[in-house]
Amino acid sequence: MMKKLYMIGGTMGVGKTAVCQHLKKQLNHCVFLDGDWCWDMHPFEVNEETKQMVLANIKFLLNSFIQCSVYENIIFCWVMHEQSIIDELLSAIETANCEVKVISLICREESLRERLQKDVDQGIREPEIIQRSIQRLDGYKTLNTIKLDVSDISASMAAKQIASL
């Protein structure tokens, strides 16, 4: 059986998790892994050791899901703002019996700013996330990925478009 692995990247606040939650419900025998779950720590500390640990955990989990006969579809989302991150993950997971779709969710700056401001207003994110996220937007255009502009579509509609790939 040929499995499908959906690797969905995008800057903070673009809607990766929401899209993946909808996609999970649209696909049969599906599992969803959000890379942010591997970073859920307090205090949040990014250094070489924690980066390598998170990447090792993600690789292990993805390979475990791929090897499990129960799942036909594996969805993984994470910021993945550099081609080297995508390449490192792909080089370390067993994709021989997997069709891999690598997708970048992109949007216009004003749409991203509005989404993030809602999160800031609700206390979900800190204000500095807006500028950090906007600074990463253009980088996604250069990645070797399928681009999906989510500026004017719902998470559900984005998931339908991904499912139809």
Side-chain angles (χ1 to χ4, degrees):
M1 166 183 63
M2 182 66 76
K3 294 183 178 231
K4 287 189 179 173
L5 171 61
Y6 298 87
M7 296 178 68
I8 300 174
T11 194
M12 295 83 67
V14 77
K16 296 178 299 295
T17 301
V19 169
C20 290
Q21 290 290 0
H22 283 278
L23 183 59
K24 178 179 71 175
K25 294 173 186 170
Q26 294 176 21
L27 300 173
N28 292 322
H29 306 285
C30 187
V31 64
F32 168 45
L33 171 64
D34 188 325
D36 286 348
W37 300 335
C38 299
W39 279 108
D40 194 358
M41 59 184 90
H42 183 77
F44 185 70
E45 186 171 342
V46 178
N47 60 42
E48 276 311 305
E49 182 181 11
T50 60
K51 284 185 210 175
Q52 290 309 309
M53 176 203 56
V54 168
L55 284 168
N57 288 339
I58 289 169
K59 293 169 193 175
F60 174 81
L61 288 169
L62 287 174
N63 278 320
S64 296
F65 289 137
I66 289 169
Q67 293 166 8
C68 183
S69 65
V70 173
Y71 303 111
E72 294 174 21
N73 295 287
I74 299 111
I75 302 168
F76 169 68
C77 78
W78 203 25
V79 172
M80 295 186 289
H81 62 293
E82 297 171 352
Q83 188 65 45
S84 61
I85 296 168
I86 297 166
D87 294 344
E88 180 175 349
L89 290 172
L90 287 173
S91 71
I93 56 177
E94 297 296 324
T95 59
N97 295 317
C98 239
E99 181 182 347
V100 179
K101 305 280 186 188
V102 185
I103 300 139
S104 291
L105 302 183
I106 58 173
C107 70
R108 292 186 311 274
E109 180 180 330
E110 58 270 16
S111 296
L112 181 61
R113 188 179 298 279
E114 288 173 17
R115 292 172 190 206
L116 288 168
Q117 188 61 55
K118 285 180 189 175
D119 288 353
V120 169
D121 293 345
Q122 294 176 11
I124 298 169
R125 298 182 193 261
E126 297 297 320
E128 62 271 3
I129 194 73
I130 296 172
Q131 200 54 41
R132 280 189 24 237
S133 185
I134 287 171
Q135 288 172 344
R136 289 188 175 173
L137 262 181
D138 284 340
Y140 286 93
K141 295 174 184 171
T142 64
L143 299 178
N144 185 21
T145 61
I146 299 165
K147 310 302 184 287
L148 178 58
D149 190 330
V150 296
S151 299
D152 298 315
I153 61 174
S154 66
S156 177
M157 182 57 67
K160 286 179 185 172
Q161 289 185 27
I162 293 169
S164 70
L165 292 175

